[in-house]
Amino acid sequence: MTAFVDKDPTVRQCADVAGAVLDEIEKAVVGKRGALRTVLLGMLASGHVLLEDLPGVGKTLMARSFATALGLTCTRVQFTPDLLPADLTGAPVYDARSGDLSFRPGPVFTQLLLADEINRTPPKTQAALLEAMSEHRVSADGETRELPDPFIVLATDNPIEFEGTYPLPEAQLDRFIARVGIGYPAAADEEELLRRRVAAGSPEPPSVRQVVEPAGLPAMRRAVEKVEVDDDLYRYVVALAAATRRHPHCAVGASPRASLALLQLARAHALVEGRDFLAPGDVKAVAVPALGHRIVVKPELWARRVTGDQIVGEVLGEVPVPATVPSRVRESAP
C-alpha cells in the first residue's frame, strides 16, 4: 500500500516516508544505505545525481528501484558513441498519412532518466542532456517543450575505462548536485545477496513496491524549502567553499553553484533526520558528495592520486564549526 503525503507534509511525515523508501530499496540493493540515502537527498534537493563506480555494483538497479519506490515514470538510455542529440531529446517524424511532420518526444521526456554510462557518448549529446538538466525543457523542431515535473537524471559513469569514452568536463560535472560512489559490499552483505538470489529461484532482480504516490516527491521537496538556516550556517557554507579555493592542491575550487548545492543537500539531510532547522552536522554529512566532484586538482598531483574528496575532507577539519542554536530556540530562552 502506497503512503499518502500531504500537500504540506510535516517534518516527521517526510522523515518517516524517506525511511520507508530507503527500507524498500534495500530489498534490492543490499548493504548500501549510505549511498541510497545520498541519492535520495539529491532528489529531495531538486538536483541530479552522478553514480560513479565500478561495473556490477548495482548502479542501474538502484536507479530503477528509486523510480518504482517513488512512483515515477522511468526511462533508461544506454549511452553509446553513435548516440545523437535527437535520439535523446526527440525529433520531427514524417507522417505518411497526413503528409505532415510531427514531433516525436525522445526518452528525456520522463520523470526519472537513467543515463547509463554517460561518458561513452560524444560531447554534443552530453551537452543536450545537460541543457535539459539545467533548463528542464528541450528546444527542438523550432519549439521549446517543458519536461515533466519532477525531472531527475541519475547518470552512471565507469571511472576505470578510458578507451572509447568522453569524460565529462569539470564544468559539466558541476551540474550534478552530488556524486555518489557505491563501492563493493561487505562480505556479509555480499553473502546475503547470494542467499537472496538462490532463494528467489530466478535471475530477475528483487521486486520493489511503490512506497509513495507520484505527488509525494514534489511535496517533500517543498518541505525542504521550509528548513530554517541561521546566519552562522550561511557563513559556514561560504567558508567551506572559500577554503577549497585557497587550498594549495586545488587548481579550481568550489563555485557559488557548489555552495548552493551544499546548502540544499544539507537542508534535505536535516529534513530526513526529522528536523526543520539546519545544524552543522548536516553540512558536514553531505560536503564530500556535494563538493568533491566540483574541485579541479592541480595536474602535477594526479600521480599522487590526490582527489577532490580528499581536499574536502581536509577543509572540513580546518574550518571552525559554528556552535549554532536555532533562532527560535534562542528567542524562547529565558
Side-chain angles (χ1 to χ4, degrees):
M1 181 177 178
T2 58
F4 176 76
V5 180
D6 297 333
K7 291 184 178 179
D8 188 15
T10 64
V11 171
R12 176 45 53 195
Q13 185 181 21
C14 290
D16 290 344
V17 170
V21 169
L22 295 177
D23 290 342
E24 185 65 25
I25 296 175
E26 277 197 304
K27 294 179 180 178
V29 183
V30 182
K32 293 300 175 183
R33 183 84 174 197
L36 294 173
R37 185 185 179 92
T38 304
V39 173
L40 181 59
L41 294 180
M43 294 181 174
L44 292 176
S46 302
H48 310 282
V49 180
L50 178 64
L51 304 175
E52 185 176 88
D53 217 315
L54 304 171
V57 295
K59 300 186 294 294
T60 302
L61 176 61
M62 180 184 293
R64 288 195 177 277
S65 299
F66 268 108
T68 302
L70 294 171
L72 305 177
T73 60
C74 179
T75 304
R76 175 182 178 271
V77 177
Q78 179 64 53
F79 280 65
T80 58
D82 60 348
L83 192 72
L84 299 176
D87 297 329
L88 189 65
T89 60
V93 177
Y94 177 72
D95 188 337
R97 289 179 294 182
S98 64
D100 296 327
L101 288 174
S102 60
F103 181 76
R104 177 175 294 175
V108 76
F109 286 86
T110 187
Q111 291 178 315
L112 193 151
L113 177 69
L114 172 56
D116 222 346
E117 296 188 294
I118 191 174
N119 58 328
R120 286 200 176 278
T121 201
K124 183 180 290 187
T125 306
Q126 290 177 358
L129 174 61
L130 293 165
E131 179 184 7
M133 291 166 54
S134 177
E135 304 296 333
H136 283 209
R137 57 177 179 262
V138 168
S139 297
D141 193 26
E143 294 185 27
T144 299
R145 295 173 173 84
E146 299 292 329
L147 294 174
D149 182 31
F151 172 66
I152 303 166
V153 173
L154 293 185
T156 70
D157 185 359
N158 183 347
I160 63 169
E161 294 183 23
F162 300 102
E163 186 173 346
T165 63
Y166 305 84
L168 287 176
E170 285 75 12
Q172 294 183 356
L173 283 172
D174 196 43
R175 302 297 177 89
F176 291 95
I177 197 169
R179 180 182 63 184
V180 180
I182 300 173
Y184 290 124
D189 293 327
E190 191 165 2
E191 182 179 337
E192 174 62 19
L193 180 67
L194 300 179
R195 290 183 183 277
R196 291 186 185 184
R197 168 62 184 87
V198 173
S202 169
E204 295 297 320
S207 60
V208 173
R209 67 179 179 86
Q210 182 178 342
V211 176
V212 295
E213 296 180 345
L217 180 60
M220 294 172 70
R221 284 180 166 184
R222 292 191 294 271
V224 171
E225 297 300 327
K226 297 179 182 179
V227 173
E228 175 187 319
V229 184
D230 272 12
D231 289 341
D232 53 357
L233 286 171
Y234 286 120
R235 289 189 286 268
Y236 183 49
V237 169
V238 171
L240 288 174
T244 65
R245 301 164 194 164
R246 298 190 301 267
H247 197 282
H249 294 166
C250 194
V252 179
S255 66
R257 182 187 289 151
S259 300
L260 289 169
L262 175 57
L263 180 63
Q264 284 304 102
L265 273 178
R267 294 174 82 191
H269 186 274
L271 185 73
V272 171
E273 288 290 308
R275 286 181 281 103
D276 62 353
F277 62 90
L278 194 66
D282 298 315
V283 178
K284 297 181 73 172
V286 299
V288 171
L291 302 181
H293 62 293
R294 305 169 189 270
I295 292 174
V296 181
V297 179
K298 290 182 177 178
E300 61 269 23
L301 297 173
W302 290 349
R304 291 166 52 185
R305 299 183 181 275
V306 176
T307 65
D309 290 356
Q310 293 172 349
I311 292 175
V312 175
E314 292 179 14
V315 165
L316 286 172
E318 296 169 358
V319 176
V321 180
T324 185
V325 178
S327 58
R328 66 177 182 278
V329 175
R330 293 197 302 266
E331 292 166 0
S332 62

